[in-house]
Structure formats: C-alpha cells, structure tokens
Amino acid sequence: MGIEEVGKALTLFNMEFLSSVTAMVLAVNLITQVIKEVFLNENVNQRIPKVITLLSSTLVVSVHHYRLWTASSIVFHNSIIELVFLIFVNSIFIAALSMGNYKILNLTKDKEVKKMKEQMVMNKAKIQSLDEEKKDDEEELGELF
C-alpha cells in the first residue's frame, strides 16, 4: 500500500468523494451544525441557520465546480455564465436537501395552514362578539317589557 493510498484511506473527505450529492449534503450539514453549536444561542431567529446552510452549500458547491472548471472548462462549455448559474442552482438544491426538502416544499402549505388557523380564531372571536351583542339586545328587550 503506497503513501497516497494510505492518505486517501485516512481522510473522510476528499475531492472525489465531495463530488457526490450525498457528500455535499453531509459536508453542508457538518459545517452548519458546527457553526450553529459554536456561534449561535438557542434564542436565535430560525432564518439564520437557513442562511448559514445556504452560504455553506454555496461554498461547497463553488469549490467543487471551480475544481471541475480548472480541470476542464469544456464541462461548462467554456462559459462563465453557465458556471455561475450552475453554482447558484446547485447551491439551492444542496441547501434544500440539507435542510430537509420536505420543509422547503411544504413551506407554502404551512403558511396556508397558519392563515386558516388565524382565520378560524378571528371567526370564533366574531361569533363570540355577536353572541354577546345578542345577549345584550335580549337583556335590553327584557328590560323594556
């Protein structure tokens, strides 16, 4: 076993491994979790970890795509615009997978459910106020007779 093979066997991440989607998601999750544990407290806004996840996925995807670009720019048809666009799209994809794709896709559904719950609370409050007005009207009518 040569020195290169031993070096590859001892490392968890290498560029060949990082070229897979699973490894990118794992790397982004590790980076995000370490940053959250070290720098963020429990009372932090929920958007901050999502932004950290997006930034770390952009970093990981950018490193991978830059490596591909330097190895052979023909992969991106010699177009920097294509390279930047693919970095953007793939960063969002990796971030979505890292955060749990179901959360991203159900975000609009969750908002609709919250709106419906708020509407139900408002409707209950209106019904209660109408019931109170009806009772007041009945009491006033009772006093008249």
Side-chain angles (χ1 to χ4, degrees):
M1 194 181 249
I3 293 176
E4 283 185 25
E5 293 172 356
V6 170
K8 285 183 179 181
L10 293 177
T11 59
L12 175 62
F13 284 99
N14 57 24
M15 291 312 287
E16 289 78 28
F17 178 64
L18 199 58
S19 65
S20 69
V21 172
T22 305
M24 285 186 190
V25 170
L26 179 61
V28 168
N29 280 333
L30 288 173
I31 293 168
T32 303
Q33 290 303 319
V34 167
I35 290 173
K36 281 172 46 178
E37 291 295 322
V38 172
F39 297 108
L40 301 179
N41 60 11
E42 297 293 324
N43 302 341
V44 73
N45 187 349
Q46 291 297 324
R47 290 183 183 170
I48 292 174
K50 292 177 183 178
V51 170
I52 292 170
T53 302
L54 184 60
L55 291 175
S56 61
S57 70
T58 302
L59 175 72
V60 169
V61 170
S62 296
V63 167
H64 171 66
H65 282 48
Y66 179 74
R67 181 177 169 263
L68 290 177
W69 174 266
T70 56
S72 174
S73 61
I74 196 72
V75 172
F76 301 102
H77 304 101
N78 292 320
S79 171
I80 292 179
I81 294 172
E82 185 176 347
L83 171 70
V84 171
F85 179 72
L86 287 175
I87 287 173
F88 173 73
V89 171
N90 289 333
S91 296
I92 292 173
F93 175 68
I94 296 298
L97 290 175
S98 296
M99 287 186 277
N101 198 21
Y102 61 92
K103 290 180 184 177
I104 300 298
L105 295 176
N106 287 335
L107 187 59
T108 56
K109 182 177 153 186
D110 291 341
K111 286 181 182 178
E112 291 297 321
V113 169
K114 284 182 183 178
K115 282 183 183 177
M116 291 173 69
K117 286 181 180 179
E118 289 173 359
Q119 188 66 34
M120 286 177 56
V121 169
M122 289 174 47
N123 288 342
K124 284 182 182 179
K126 286 180 183 178
I127 289 171
Q128 286 177 351
S129 66
L130 289 174
D131 285 344
E132 289 174 3
E133 288 178 13
K134 185 177 177 182
K135 286 180 184 178
D136 291 342
D137 289 343
E138 288 175 357
E139 287 176 4
E140 288 176 9
L141 287 174
E143 290 176 2
L144 290 176
F145 292 110

